[in-house]
Amino acid sequence: MIPRDTIDRVFSAAKIEDVIGDVVPLKKRGANLIGLCPFHDEKTGSFTVSPSKGIYKCFGCGKSGNVVGFVMEYDQCTFFEAIRTLAKRYHIEIEERELTQEEKQNENDRESMSVVNEWCNTWFQNQLWETQEGQAVGLSYLRARGLRDDSIHKFQLGYSPDKSLLSIEAKKAGYEEKYLVNDSQNAPYIGTGVCLKSEDGRLYDRFHSRVIFPFFSLSGKVIGFAGRLMKQNDKVGKYVNSPTSPLFEKHNCLYGLFQAKQEIVRQNHCYLVEGQMDVISMFQTGIKNVVASGGTSLTQPQIKLMHRFTDRITVLYDGDKAGIKAAIRGIDMILEEGIKVKVLLLPEGEDPDSFAKSHTSEEMADYIRKNETDFIRFKVELLNEEVENDPIKRSELIQSVVQSISVIPDAITRQVYLKECANLLDIRENILSKEVGKLRYKRYGDVKKDAAADEQSEEPVATETPTIIPSRVAEQTVEHTSSRLEANILNLLQVIVRYGEQMLSNGEDTSIMAGEYIINELTNDGIALSQPVYQELMDEYKAHCHDAGFVAQQFFVRHENVAISQLAVELAVDKYHLSSSAQQEQEENNLAALVSTLLLELKNTVVNERINAVLAQLKAPHQSGAEEESLLKQYTHWLSVRSAICAALGDRVITL
């Protein structure tokens, strides 16, 4: 763990204009600098750097952050990796806390294994390029498969000869046996496994007679290998992978991600294929935002890895039945992660490797654009071929599609897919919606709102809770109100970030920090925040606002939680302007009046929301006399509350 004071030293020393200026040509514009965004294609510069605030913001793609955030985004690394990178640049020594003996041993094991992997990777490449066997067997095979030499170098492919040469030379080089093998008798999973141990104690090479494909971490370190057999041998698998270790878990990594990560971020799109050759062949055609699951079924950790870089994935699989079933299996897991997914099935008999080799870059891109299909249409059309006129199979098809829709976390996206599915399957939307609601309730414990809300487009229904509005006009009003509520909350968060440490006085010799006062008011009124990151920001404020030297904007902009840091940057660069009625009170010297006004505006929005909810219930059918009387009393009460708030807003009353 890096101490907080060391992190602050790095932030203080690192000049954002120098760090970004190394990769983005910047021009002076007033107090700021401007250039072309490195995260998306643009011809007119919208990427702005503020040296005084230590932040950057692209007004084209929306990327923003501090100097550490830029390194994280550009190098695709973690917060602490970025801190170490900057510390090295500015010659700041990092003294991390004292590790326990067990932690020291684990670190030593990982470092030793990493050194072994790097040595082996260099050795494999030398065997491929510098030896007669490597050139005759390995290099000729790769070239025969259509790989160019620059691609072979790019992915650092290698060759392991038909002898136990690596085991012999690794021992001669001084590498310990426990890091060469993967023997659980030494310690669980310790060792790279590049060597195997026979019953008589001799070491021999795991990857002998194979072309080698190294796997890399996100920072570019070799973590493991896959080897493709060059000789016909029915007793062993065509492909062999490094065993599970502290560095390598096949199901938790993606082949080609290190080479593809920046292009994935730049295009906000990732192509997912099955094998290593698929990745390299597509890379050669100019499609560089491509990764492979490595010939195994797609896993949740692999999906989360892709989601770190993009929320748009196109799955490419072979056009045979096995490829089709593989595509279907992975779809639901991708959808559940909140990713927008499309599917592309290649012509029968083709795979991404062969298809890329037989088509130009333009032909490949054109085919993808014309043939990639939204998952719901893909699944319906695919399964419809098997249904024919069988009602049981048709029912199973509908259940399968509904199951896929039910795992989508975003309610609006679910609604869009339900509408499309209803059209494709010629079935009522509210029936599908009910089934989705049941599945979500069973799986996630969701309140069954989906079905009730969707049925409203068909016919009015009685609702169990007063927050569900049957009137379409009322729904639009609530949607508008919710948007206004979000803006009200962001205005207050902006004050917390900018002026949270400043004191407000009520004129009676008592004072309170601006941020504390806002948070207390929100808590007392029971106003829930719509986004978890908003609550996290307020929790962090409460935990640290009384720390010595606390300055809210500096604290939040430099926060190690990237979501909090990015939100603080957004608020610092005026993305969310103060509401029109508060514009004249925006200056810092009128902070008390500003806070009072913003809180009143928020409360006014909440009261309007409640008035609209009561009105909607009054319009609903089947109201009893007692229920109607109760609703009328609520309506009158909230009208009087709104009148009081409006009067206070008009008089600019300071309620401190």
Side-chain angles (χ1 to χ4, degrees):
M1 181 68 70
I2 301 176
R4 184 71 235 181
D5 61 340
T6 302
I7 293 173
D8 289 338
R9 285 174 59 208
V10 170
F11 269 108
S12 298
K15 294 183 177 181
I16 192 167
E17 63 271 29
D18 292 342
V19 173
I20 295 180
D22 284 349
V23 294
V24 179
L26 298 171
K27 294 180 180 179
K28 186 80 171 172
R29 180 175 291 181
N32 297 326
L33 301 166
I34 194 165
L36 295 176
C37 180
F39 304 123
H40 80 288
D41 288 328
E42 62 176 5
K43 295 181 180 179
T44 303
S46 58
F47 186 82
T48 303
V49 178
S50 171
S52 61
K53 293 182 178 180
I55 58 178
Y56 71 90
K57 168 72 179 180
C58 177
F59 292 93
C61 69
K63 298 282 188 185
S64 62
N66 53 41
V67 64
V68 174
F70 179 83
V71 175
M72 292 171 64
E73 186 73 35
Y74 192 79
D75 291 343
Q76 295 300 309
C77 62
T78 66
F79 177 85
F80 291 109
E81 287 172 340
I83 288 290
R84 292 187 180 95
T85 297
L86 290 170
K88 184 177 180 180
R89 173 179 178 138
Y90 289 96
H91 309 292
I92 296 173
E93 185 177 352
I94 293 182
E95 295 181 3
E96 303 194 36
R97 67 168 176 80
E98 184 69 21
L99 301 176
T100 66
Q101 283 302 118
E102 182 179 1
E103 288 173 331
K104 287 179 180 178
Q105 184 59 53
N106 289 339
E107 282 294 309
N108 181 63
D109 288 339
R110 289 179 63 91
E111 183 60 31
S112 297
M113 291 167 60
S114 183
V115 170
V116 168
N117 276 339
E118 294 291 346
W119 181 88
C120 290
N121 191 46
T122 300
W123 190 86
F124 288 139
Q125 291 180 79
N126 287 337
Q127 291 296 312
L128 179 72
W129 293 100
E130 306 297 335
T131 69
Q132 185 175 352
E133 181 182 341
Q135 293 176 5
V137 179
L139 193 57
S140 63
Y141 166 79
L142 294 173
R143 286 171 174 168
R145 290 292 303 268
L147 299 192
R148 301 191 305 260
D149 287 2
D150 63 310
S151 300
I152 297 171
H153 283 298
K154 176 74 175 180
F155 288 87
Q156 298 183 32
L157 307 188
Y159 177 72
S160 185
D162 186 22
K163 294 177 183 177
S164 292
L165 289 179
L166 182 142
S167 302
I168 296 169
E169 294 193 22
K171 292 284 283 184
K172 284 182 179 178
Y175 294 110
E176 292 184 53
E177 183 176 300
K178 75 171 184 175
Y179 298 122
L180 296 172
V181 299
N182 188 262
D183 187 353
S184 60
Q185 293 179 354
N186 291 328
Y189 306 120
I190 294 299
T192 60
V194 292
C195 299
L196 297 168
K197 194 172 184 178
S198 64
E199 292 182 359
D200 61 5
R202 291 183 300 106
L203 296 187
Y204 60 100
D205 298 354
R206 177 184 294 272
F207 298 107
H208 69 87
S209 307
R210 296 176 185 270
V211 167
I212 306 298
F213 299 83
F215 283 80
F216 297 89
S217 69
L218 291 177
S219 60
K221 293 184 177 180
V222 180
I223 56 175
F225 303 95
R228 203 277 188 194
L229 189 65
M230 291 290 96
K231 292 185 175 182
Q232 183 67 34
N233 189 339
D234 296 333
K235 295 182 180 180
V236 295
K238 183 183 290 186
Y239 276 92
V240 169
N241 297 291
S242 293
T244 298
S245 74
L247 293 183
F248 182 75
E249 169 56 70
K250 184 182 178 185
H251 301 291
N252 294 349
C253 61
L254 291 161
Y255 182 78
L257 184 57
F258 170 66
Q259 289 85 357
K261 61 183 182 178
Q262 289 189 5
E263 190 68 13
I264 293 172
V265 171
R266 193 180 70 82
Q267 296 195 28
N268 188 27
H269 190 194
C270 178
Y271 292 103
L272 174 65
V273 296
E274 192 172 5
Q276 291 93 337
M277 291 297 294
D278 296 329
V279 169
I280 302 173
S281 294
M282 288 186 66
F283 198 94
Q284 284 191 161
T285 68
I287 299 174
K288 299 182 179 181
N289 51 327
V290 56
V291 300
S293 57
T296 63
S297 297
L298 192 63
T299 66
Q300 209 68 46
Q302 290 174 328
I303 295 169
K304 288 183 181 295
L305 259 181
M306 287 184 282
H307 203 186
R308 284 181 59 180
F309 305 100
T310 183
D311 63 354
R312 295 170 57 229
I313 294 175
T314 296
V315 184
L316 281 78
Y317 278 115
D318 307 354
D320 57 16
K321 288 186 177 180
I324 292 171
K325 290 183 178 179
I328 290 178
R329 280 197 301 270
I331 283 176
D332 285 5
M333 289 194 299
I334 298 174
L335 291 170
E336 192 168 13
E337 186 66 20
I339 296 171
K340 304 174 186 70
V341 59
K342 291 191 174 183
V343 178
L344 176 68
L345 287 181
L346 298 171
E348 190 165 356
E350 296 271 21
D351 57 29
D353 172 34
S354 64
F355 195 77
K357 288 188 176 73
S358 59
H359 292 78
T360 65
S361 176
E362 292 75 17
E363 290 171 342
M364 185 82 174
D366 186 60
Y367 182 86
I368 291 173
R369 185 175 62 256
K370 290 180 178 178
N371 292 277
E372 64 178 354
T373 308
D374 178 79
F375 94 94
I376 191 71
R377 186 175 295 276
F378 163 76
K379 195 166 188 177
V380 169
E381 291 177 352
L382 175 67
L383 298 181
N384 249 336
E385 296 175 5
E386 303 175 7
V387 168
E388 297 177 348
N389 295 320
D390 189 329
I392 295 177
K393 287 185 177 180
R394 178 172 169 76
S395 174
E396 290 172 352
L397 159 64
I398 295 170
Q399 288 291 345
S400 177
V401 174
V402 167
Q403 167 64 36
S404 293
I405 295 174
S406 73
V407 302
I408 299 172
D410 181 68
I412 294 175
T413 306
R414 285 201 304 274
Q415 184 65 33
V416 171
Y417 281 133
L418 279 169
K419 194 174 291 292
E420 182 175 359
C421 184
N423 292 331
L424 289 171
L425 294 173
D426 192 24
I427 188 170
R428 285 176 59 186
E429 184 182 336
N430 65 319
I431 294 175
L432 297 176
S433 185
K434 280 183 179 180
E435 292 304 309
V436 167
K438 290 176 185 177
L439 289 170
R440 287 192 64 79
Y441 184 76
K442 183 177 180 180
R443 183 163 184 163
Y444 306 109
D446 281 8
V447 177
K448 299 180 187 176
K449 291 182 180 179
D450 289 349
D454 294 333
E455 284 183 79
Q456 289 158 15
S457 60
E458 299 287 334
E459 53 184 300
V461 293
T463 58
E464 298 177 0
T465 63
T467 56
I468 299 177
I469 314 297
S471 164
R472 181 61 59 188
V473 174
E475 281 182 6
Q476 293 171 355
T477 304
V478 169
E479 197 173 304
H480 175 70
T481 305
S482 299
S483 169
R484 180 173 294 177
L485 181 62
E486 176 94 354
N488 291 148
I489 290 172
L490 285 167
N491 284 335
L492 288 165
L493 290 176
Q494 187 177 59
V495 173
I496 293 175
V497 167
R498 289 180 168 185
Y499 314 120
E501 75 283 358
Q502 296 194 27
M503 304 302 293
L504 301 177
S505 174
N506 65 358
E508 299 177 0
D509 297 325
T510 59
S511 58
I512 184 173
M513 284 185 176
E516 279 189 296
Y517 180 75
I518 291 170
I519 292 171
N520 289 345
E521 286 290 299
L522 295 177
T523 303
N524 293 339
D525 288 331
I527 296 173
L529 303 183
S530 57
Q531 302 292 335
V533 67
Y534 300 167
Q535 188 62 54
E536 290 170 9
L537 186 146
M538 294 207 310
D539 290 343
E540 283 294 283
Y541 176 88
K542 289 189 289 186
H544 296 281
C545 65
H546 292 290
D547 292 353
F550 176 81
V551 178
Q553 183 162 312
Q554 183 183 82
F555 175 81
F556 288 120
V557 167
R558 295 180 175 183
H559 204 281
E560 63 189 62
N561 182 321
V562 177
I564 291 176
S565 172
Q566 288 184 339
L567 175 61
V569 170
E570 294 290 331
L571 297 172
V573 296
D574 283 324
K575 180 178 180 181
Y576 303 103
H577 293 287
L578 301 179
S579 56
S580 56
S581 64
Q583 290 288 336
Q584 65 196 49
E585 297 166 329
Q586 188 175 354
E587 297 299 324
E588 186 177 342
N589 57 0
N590 287 323
L591 184 59
L594 173 62
V595 169
S596 175
T597 300
L598 292 177
L599 283 167
L600 284 169
E601 289 181 342
L602 171 65
K603 293 174 183 181
N604 189 52
T605 301
V606 172
V607 170
N608 279 328
E609 193 175 55
R610 292 174 184 175
I611 289 172
N612 289 330
V614 173
L615 275 174
Q617 291 175 75
L618 283 168
K619 294 177 183 177
H622 314 304
Q623 295 284 356
S624 68
E627 288 172 332
E628 187 171 353
E629 183 179 352
S630 173
L631 288 170
L632 286 170
K633 285 182 179 179
Q634 292 179 47
Y635 180 67
T636 304
H637 166 73
W638 289 120
L639 281 178
S640 66
V641 173
R642 183 169 67 179
S643 295
I645 292 173
C646 289
L649 278 169
D651 294 337
R652 292 293 189 272
V653 175
I654 300 175
T655 55
L656 292 182

